[in-house]
Amino acid sequence: MEQYVIKGGNPLVGEVDIAGAKNAALAILSAAIMTDETILIENLPDVRDINVLLEAISEIGAQVERVDKSTVKINGSTIGNLSVDYEFIKKIRASYYLLGALLGKYKHAEVPLPGGCNIGSRPIDQHLKGFRALGAEVDILHGAIVARAENLHGSHIFLDVVSVGATINIMMAASMAAGRTIIENAAREPHVVDVANFLNSMGANIKGAGTDVIRIRGVETLHRTEYSIIPDQIEAGTFMFAAAATGGDVTVRNVIPKHLEATTAKLEEIGCEVEEFDDAVRVRAPHTLHRTHVKTLPYPGYPTDMQPQIAVTLALAEGTSIVTESIFENRFKYADELSRMGANIKVEGNSAIIDGVKKLTGARVSAPDLRAGAALVIAGLAAEGVTVVDDIVYIQRGYENFEEKLRSLGAEIERVSSEKEIQKFRLRVG
Ligand SMILES: CC(=O)N[C@H]1[C@@H](OP(=O)(O)OP(=O)(O)OC[C@H]2O[C@@H](n3ccc(=O)[nH]c3=O)[C@H](O)[C@@H]2O)O[C@H](CO)[C@@H](O)[C@@H]1O
Ligand SMILES: C=C(OP(=O)(O)O)C(=O)O
């Protein structure tokens, strides 16, 4: 088990390059197996979830060739197994995208129920409703989703909740269903648009991605393409809040500022100066952070994946802030850990009430999930003294070279794997 050890107190200063978006990449890699021709994908983030999905894709028989750290070639012509192994899939949520991809291409898929972060109950009823509407028979058998169809046909699907996963999954399967599909109440996240652009570059016919009505004309085959994944808005936002919480001045590069607007607006409300460039955003922290309220919402609202990061920053703001989580019911598991660092945070229902304190103090804390883990690292960077973050395997799911990027901004952070190393770090930093 690895840990991060952090000596807090250094304002983060400098420039940092943002990797490709994990949550776009997971869907795009799955969609890449929908043709028998070779697909080249660039700007892949080098993170655990991506590596697990690539293993699963090669396990079902596709050819996966790593060209370099952020580029991969995939050829799905050799897929011989439509049943995905539980070992791979239990680790990640986005394994469910293999359902839409395999069902679209082969009209048959067997995928174990997905894993991912334990941030709520996370049903997949809307995915299954969509597949059924396209003509598939879907059963849950022995812990796996089994979907089969003689033929898929277009349909008019109204999603009961705005779901990123269901929107993308249905879009993938419908791309190879006969006739026209309309998805209403679709998710509008940038990664939904990125997956639609990718599928269109393979010959699909998808219109309206980025709005809440997506129209798809099914095609018989998809073809080769080369595609570069959009930047990760959540990684970018995490560094932006790290700048704010540490009193720093950070420019995040290789981003699409438009995708960061909800985050930028909140940073400005709490007193940061945010400057936008074509593909970069600079965040300068104020002397004193102001309080604010925030509620997570589907895009273009404030993202749930950025909720813990703003909460730890507000723990250091003057006054009382309220953070309301409206997407996942179990996303405040970091609150007790943050309290152990001196924060004044109380969770009531789906809101956290945060009374800002002047300083946090380093403590031993545990990452309960990916984004909460990253937020506890931010807390450690801002705190006085040494913080040890356990269970960083969650953080590694979604942040490429996290500690190296933070160190390049002046953070004192190391990845260690024993109590001896933690002790050594403590002695070194004094
Ligand atoms: C791998 C990936 O991309 N994960 C992201 C994806 O997760 P994921 O795709 O799982 O999240 P959804 O957008 O589907 O979930 C949104 C809401 O809809 C509910 N729901 C969803 C599907 C369904 O069939 N039935 C249902 O009730 C969920 O419980 C949740 O309350 O979008 C979330 C919301 O932006 C992000 O936090 C995750 O980081
Ligand atoms: C919650 C996340 O991922 P997943 O849906 O894969 O658990 C995330 O990326 O913040």
Side-chain angles (χ1 to χ4, degrees):
M1 283 299 214
E2 291 184 315
Q3 292 90 11
Y4 280 136
V5 278
I6 303 160
K7 164 85 187 322
N10 298 358
L12 297 193
V13 177
E15 301 186 342
V16 64
D17 285 323
I18 299 306
K22 165 185 86 90
N23 288 344
L26 289 165
I28 286 173
L29 289 175
S30 305
I33 64 173
M34 294 179 73
T35 170
D36 282 346
E37 298 183 12
T38 300
I39 301 282
L40 180 106
I41 300 166
E42 292 172 321
N43 205 30
L44 264 190
D46 187 13
V47 297
R48 188 165 148 261
D49 271 26
I50 295 296
N51 297 327
V52 169
L53 183 64
L54 285 173
E55 264 184 82
I57 287 174
S58 90
E59 188 68 13
I60 57 173
Q63 292 161 49
V64 175
E65 185 197 330
R66 278 276 190 178
V67 180
D68 60 42
K69 189 173 75 60
S70 60
T71 311
V72 73
K73 278 187 189 168
I74 294 183
N75 184 298
S77 64
T78 45
I79 290 176
N81 179 6
L82 302 179
S83 169
V84 179
D85 190 339
Y86 180 68
E87 266 315 299
F88 290 105
I89 275 347
K90 70 178 179 197
K91 296 183 191 153
I92 61 171
R93 176 107 207 123
S95 51
Y96 53 40
Y97 289 135
L98 290 173
L99 261 179
L102 291 171
L103 182 65
K105 185 177 182 195
Y106 299 105
K107 319 301 174 217
H108 177 193
E110 297 187 17
V111 178
L113 285 158
C117 277
N118 179 9
I119 50 180
S121 64
R122 312 194 76 174
I124 54 163
D125 56 302
Q126 299 303 302
H127 303 232
L128 307 191
K129 166 175 149 170
F131 296 148
R132 289 188 178 115
L134 296 175
E137 255 185 53
V138 185
D139 295 295
I140 311 262
L141 295 173
H142 311 291
I145 305 150
V146 181
R148 275 177 200 278
E150 280 291 313
N151 285 300
L152 292 177
H153 54 74
S155 183
H156 194 156
I157 300 161
F158 204 110
L159 293 179
D160 299 328
V161 292
V162 180
S163 160
V164 172
T167 302
I168 293 179
N169 233 342
I170 297 167
M171 203 165 73
M172 290 201 285
S175 289
M176 297 191 82
R180 191 173 70 154
T181 295
I182 301 176
I183 308 173
E184 308 243 21
N185 199 25
R188 291 178 284 168
E189 268 66 4
H191 36 298
V192 174
V193 180
D194 206 35
V195 180
N197 288 342
F198 172 68
L199 284 163
N200 283 342
S201 77
M202 292 170 79
N205 184 345
I206 303 171
K207 296 203 167 79
T211 75
D212 58 3
V213 184
I214 299 180
R215 292 185 162 76
I216 303 149
R217 276 244 172 243
V219 296
E220 270 177 27
T221 52
L222 296 169
H223 55 68
R224 67 177 300 284
T225 189
E226 296 183 359
Y227 195 81
S228 182
I229 289 165
I230 53 165
D232 196 309
Q233 68 183 90
I234 307 301
E235 186 197 11
T238 301
F239 280 99
M240 289 161 79
F241 274 108
T246 59
D249 177 352
V250 171
T251 300
V252 291
R253 291 190 307 214
N254 180 36
V255 298
I256 299 174
K258 172 91 191 131
H259 295 170
L260 296 166
E261 273 174 2
T263 298
T264 297
K266 283 296 155 195
L267 282 161
E268 285 175 339
E269 275 174 39
I270 65 174
C272 293
E273 246 182 75
V274 185
E275 203 177 342
E276 283 184 8
F277 303 91
D278 285 348
D279 62 353
V281 174
R282 178 176 180 182
V283 177
R284 270 177 281 193
H287 184 63
T288 309
L289 293 162
H290 311 315
R291 69 185 195 113
T292 194
H293 301 325
V294 60
K295 181 175 180 179
T296 61
L297 286 170
Y299 189 86
Y302 187 86
T304 172
D305 291 351
M306 286 298 305
Q307 182 260 98
Q309 299 90 319
I310 192 171
V312 298
T313 308
L314 292 172
L316 286 161
E318 214 166 43
T320 302
S321 303
I322 301 177
V323 176
T324 303
E325 172 58 56
S326 73
I327 312 286
F328 293 111
E329 70 274 14
N330 214 359
R331 246 190 156 162
F332 286 122
K333 285 191 292 182
Y334 61 87
D336 286 346
E337 303 297 287
L338 198 57
S339 300
R340 301 182 54 244
M341 298 179 73
N344 199 339
I345 175 168
K346 195 167 66 181
V347 178
E348 282 183 8
N350 66 344
S351 292
I353 298 144
I354 302 168
D355 278 319
V357 291
K358 286 227 152 41
K359 64 169 189 193
L360 296 173
T361 52
R364 186 146 190 166
V365 293
S366 186
D369 59 62
L370 165 59
R371 306 304 171 185
L376 289 171
V377 170
I378 297 178
L381 294 169
E384 194 179 277
V386 173
T387 293
V388 180
V389 182
D390 281 305
D391 292 334
I392 64 167
V393 66
Y394 288 112
I395 303 173
Q396 291 162 343
R397 287 188 44 213
Y399 290 90
E400 178 180 291
N401 298 334
F402 198 35
E403 68 277 15
E404 282 157 40
K405 289 187 184 184
L406 288 167
R407 269 200 300 268
S408 77
L409 298 171
E412 268 188 87
I413 176 169
E414 271 176 34
R415 182 155 52 98
V416 297
S417 52
S418 69
E419 294 304 317
K420 220 166 137 186
E421 283 179 281
I422 296 175
Q423 210 41 43
K424 240 169 86 183
F425 180 86
R426 283 189 195 279
L427 286 173
R428 187 165 61 70
V429 298

